[in-house]
mmCIF file of all heavy atoms in Angstrom:
data_model
loop_
_atom_site.group_PDB
_atom_site.id
_atom_site.type_symbol
_atom_site.label_atom_id
_atom_site.label_comp_id
_atom_site.label_asym_id
_atom_site.label_seq_id
_atom_site.Cartn_x
_atom_site.Cartn_y
_atom_site.Cartn_z
ATOM 1 N N ARG A 1113 -116.170 -17.478 82.001
ATOM 2 C CA ARG A 1113 -117.346 -18.443 82.209
ATOM 3 C C ARG A 1113 -117.198 -19.383 81.062
ATOM 4 O O ARG A 1113 -116.643 -19.265 80.082
ATOM 5 C CB ARG A 1113 -118.583 -17.678 82.404
ATOM 6 C CG ARG A 1113 -118.593 -16.952 83.737
ATOM 7 C CD ARG A 1113 -120.075 -16.262 83.885
ATOM 8 N NE ARG A 1113 -120.171 -15.767 85.229
ATOM 9 C CZ ARG A 1113 -119.657 -14.678 85.688
ATOM 10 N NH1 ARG A 1113 -119.017 -13.873 84.876
ATOM 11 N NH2 ARG A 1113 -119.929 -14.288 86.873
ATOM 12 N N ILE A 1114 -118.091 -20.455 81.189
ATOM 13 C CA ILE A 1114 -118.037 -21.571 80.236
ATOM 14 C C ILE A 1114 -118.340 -21.128 78.829
ATOM 15 O O ILE A 1114 -117.612 -21.417 77.965
ATOM 16 C CB ILE A 1114 -118.975 -22.697 80.706
ATOM 17 C CG1 ILE A 1114 -118.428 -23.307 82.094
ATOM 18 C CG2 ILE A 1114 -119.133 -23.711 79.635
ATOM 19 C CD1 ILE A 1114 -116.991 -23.876 82.003
ATOM 20 N N LEU A 1115 -119.478 -20.437 78.594
ATOM 21 C CA LEU A 1115 -119.879 -20.135 77.209
ATOM 22 C C LEU A 1115 -118.921 -19.120 76.596
ATOM 23 O O LEU A 1115 -118.517 -19.293 75.411
ATOM 24 C CB LEU A 1115 -121.289 -19.718 77.112
ATOM 25 C CG LEU A 1115 -122.336 -20.872 77.511
ATOM 26 C CD1 LEU A 1115 -123.690 -20.286 77.370
ATOM 27 C CD2 LEU A 1115 -122.050 -22.072 76.560
ATOM 28 N N PRO A 1116 -118.521 -18.089 77.328
ATOM 29 C CA PRO A 1116 -117.446 -17.155 76.745
ATOM 30 C C PRO A 1116 -116.161 -17.822 76.414
ATOM 31 O O PRO A 1116 -115.481 -17.663 75.352
ATOM 32 C CB PRO A 1116 -117.298 -16.123 77.730
ATOM 33 C CG PRO A 1116 -118.595 -16.041 78.507
ATOM 34 C CD PRO A 1116 -119.045 -17.509 78.512
ATOM 35 N N PHE A 1117 -115.744 -18.780 77.296
ATOM 36 C CA PHE A 1117 -114.535 -19.558 76.991
ATOM 37 C C PHE A 1117 -114.756 -20.452 75.684
ATOM 38 O O PHE A 1117 -113.825 -20.571 74.853
ATOM 39 C CB PHE A 1117 -114.142 -20.394 78.185
ATOM 40 C CG PHE A 1117 -112.815 -21.084 78.091
ATOM 41 C CD1 PHE A 1117 -111.650 -20.328 78.051
ATOM 42 C CD2 PHE A 1117 -112.722 -22.452 77.787
ATOM 43 C CE1 PHE A 1117 -110.439 -20.956 77.899
ATOM 44 C CE2 PHE A 1117 -111.504 -23.077 77.687
ATOM 45 C CZ PHE A 1117 -110.319 -22.322 77.702
ATOM 46 N N ALA A 1118 -115.839 -21.040 75.590
ATOM 47 C CA ALA A 1118 -116.154 -21.876 74.398
ATOM 48 C C ALA A 1118 -115.965 -20.925 73.107
ATOM 49 O O ALA A 1118 -115.305 -21.462 72.180
ATOM 50 C CB ALA A 1118 -117.577 -22.437 74.454
ATOM 51 N N ARG A 1119 -116.480 -19.709 73.137
ATOM 52 C CA ARG A 1119 -116.406 -18.963 72.000
ATOM 53 C C ARG A 1119 -114.941 -18.470 71.859
ATOM 54 O O ARG A 1119 -114.583 -18.272 70.655
ATOM 55 C CB ARG A 1119 -117.370 -17.700 72.095
ATOM 56 C CG ARG A 1119 -118.773 -18.345 72.021
ATOM 57 C CD ARG A 1119 -119.740 -17.089 71.880
ATOM 58 N NE ARG A 1119 -121.025 -17.797 71.477
ATOM 59 C CZ ARG A 1119 -122.216 -17.032 71.412
ATOM 60 N NH1 ARG A 1119 -122.124 -15.759 71.587
ATOM 61 N NH2 ARG A 1119 -123.315 -17.599 71.132
ATOM 62 N N SER A 1120 -114.120 -18.262 72.803
ATOM 63 C CA SER A 1120 -112.829 -17.881 72.718
ATOM 64 C C SER A 1120 -112.012 -18.990 71.993
ATOM 65 O O SER A 1120 -111.157 -18.673 71.170
ATOM 66 C CB SER A 1120 -112.189 -17.488 74.042
ATOM 67 O OG SER A 1120 -111.944 -18.570 74.866
ATOM 68 N N LEU A 1121 -112.240 -20.296 72.244
ATOM 69 C CA LEU A 1121 -111.707 -21.332 71.584
ATOM 70 C C LEU A 1121 -112.067 -21.380 70.188
ATOM 71 O O LEU A 1121 -111.239 -21.574 69.281
ATOM 72 C CB LEU A 1121 -112.089 -22.653 72.297
ATOM 73 C CG LEU A 1121 -111.512 -22.880 73.748
ATOM 74 C CD1 LEU A 1121 -112.163 -24.054 74.307
ATOM 75 C CD2 LEU A 1121 -109.991 -23.091 73.648
ATOM 76 N N ILE A 1122 -113.366 -21.213 69.860
ATOM 77 C CA ILE A 1122 -113.850 -21.124 68.451
ATOM 78 C C ILE A 1122 -113.017 -20.005 67.687
ATOM 79 O O ILE A 1122 -112.672 -20.211 66.601
ATOM 80 C CB ILE A 1122 -115.366 -20.898 68.490
ATOM 81 C CG1 ILE A 1122 -116.079 -22.149 68.922
ATOM 82 C CG2 ILE A 1122 -115.867 -20.529 67.053
ATOM 83 C CD1 ILE A 1122 -115.930 -23.379 68.118
ATOM 84 N N ASP A 1123 -112.834 -18.914 68.394
ATOM 85 C CA ASP A 1123 -112.333 -17.734 67.758
ATOM 86 C C ASP A 1123 -110.806 -18.024 67.408
ATOM 87 O O ASP A 1123 -110.252 -17.500 66.485
ATOM 88 C CB ASP A 1123 -112.359 -16.441 68.622
ATOM 89 C CG ASP A 1123 -113.726 -15.819 68.739
ATOM 90 O OD1 ASP A 1123 -114.478 -16.148 67.908
ATOM 91 O OD2 ASP A 1123 -113.911 -15.105 69.726
ATOM 92 N N LEU A 1124 -110.130 -18.971 68.063
ATOM 93 C CA LEU A 1124 -108.744 -19.263 67.837
ATOM 94 C C LEU A 1124 -108.705 -20.075 66.338
ATOM 95 O O LEU A 1124 -107.641 -20.018 65.736
ATOM 96 C CB LEU A 1124 -108.200 -20.190 68.838
ATOM 97 C CG LEU A 1124 -108.051 -19.561 70.229
ATOM 98 C CD1 LEU A 1124 -107.506 -20.724 71.219
ATOM 99 C CD2 LEU A 1124 -106.861 -18.522 70.184
ATOM 100 N N ALA A 1125 -109.788 -20.743 66.053
ATOM 101 C CA ALA A 1125 -109.786 -21.633 64.887
ATOM 102 C C ALA A 1125 -110.542 -21.029 63.662
ATOM 103 O O ALA A 1125 -110.144 -21.431 62.492
ATOM 104 C CB ALA A 1125 -110.565 -22.906 65.260
ATOM 105 N N ILE A 1126 -111.303 -19.960 63.839
ATOM 106 C CA ILE A 1126 -112.180 -19.630 62.647
ATOM 107 C C ILE A 1126 -111.920 -18.222 62.268
ATOM 108 O O ILE A 1126 -111.454 -17.248 63.007
ATOM 109 C CB ILE A 1126 -113.651 -19.732 63.187
ATOM 110 C CG1 ILE A 1126 -114.596 -19.886 61.990
ATOM 111 C CG2 ILE A 1126 -114.028 -18.654 64.140
ATOM 112 C CD1 ILE A 1126 -116.031 -20.284 62.463
ATOM 113 N N LYS A 1127 -112.129 -18.030 60.862
ATOM 114 C CA LYS A 1127 -111.934 -16.767 60.332
ATOM 115 C C LYS A 1127 -112.917 -16.590 59.083
ATOM 116 O O LYS A 1127 -113.540 -17.543 58.731
ATOM 117 C CB LYS A 1127 -110.497 -16.428 59.881
ATOM 118 C CG LYS A 1127 -109.992 -17.423 58.784
ATOM 119 C CD LYS A 1127 -108.518 -17.222 58.518
ATOM 120 C CE LYS A 1127 -108.001 -18.131 57.345
ATOM 121 N NZ LYS A 1127 -108.456 -19.518 57.391
ATOM 122 N N LYS A 1128 -112.965 -15.434 58.502
ATOM 123 C CA LYS A 1128 -113.890 -15.104 57.385
ATOM 124 C C LYS A 1128 -113.459 -16.123 56.313
ATOM 125 O O LYS A 1128 -112.340 -16.582 56.117
ATOM 126 C CB LYS A 1128 -113.656 -13.733 56.875
ATOM 127 C CG LYS A 1128 -114.047 -12.729 57.823
ATOM 128 C CD LYS A 1128 -115.520 -12.619 57.967
ATOM 129 C CE LYS A 1128 -115.948 -11.368 58.786
ATOM 130 N NZ LYS A 1128 -117.239 -11.401 59.417
ATOM 131 N N GLY A 1129 -114.548 -16.685 55.657
ATOM 132 C CA GLY A 1129 -114.302 -17.669 54.537
ATOM 133 C C GLY A 1129 -114.266 -19.127 55.053
ATOM 134 O O GLY A 1129 -114.139 -19.910 54.218
ATOM 135 N N ASP A 1130 -114.143 -19.362 56.262
ATOM 136 C CA ASP A 1130 -114.073 -20.789 56.752
ATOM 137 C C ASP A 1130 -115.341 -21.543 56.701
ATOM 138 O O ASP A 1130 -116.459 -20.929 56.535
ATOM 139 C CB ASP A 1130 -113.496 -20.771 58.271
ATOM 140 C CG ASP A 1130 -112.020 -20.638 58.169
ATOM 141 O OD1 ASP A 1130 -111.447 -20.421 57.057
ATOM 142 O OD2 ASP A 1130 -111.454 -20.455 59.404
ATOM 143 N N ILE A 1131 -115.295 -22.833 56.956
ATOM 144 C CA ILE A 1131 -116.377 -23.775 57.032
ATOM 145 C C ILE A 1131 -116.512 -24.186 58.471
ATOM 146 O O ILE A 1131 -115.477 -24.496 59.144
ATOM 147 C CB ILE A 1131 -116.242 -24.945 56.162
ATOM 148 C CG1 ILE A 1131 -115.970 -24.588 54.688
ATOM 149 C CG2 ILE A 1131 -117.412 -25.917 56.183
ATOM 150 C CD1 ILE A 1131 -117.066 -23.790 54.036
#
Side-chain angles (χ1 to χ4, degrees):
R1113 289 186 167 81
I1114 295 301
L1115 295 179
F1117 186 72
R1119 290 188 173 179
S1120 72
L1121 291 170
I1122 292 295
D1123 289 344
L1124 294 172
I1126 201 167
K1127 63 186 181 318
K1128 296 284 186 208
D1130 280 355
I1131 307 299

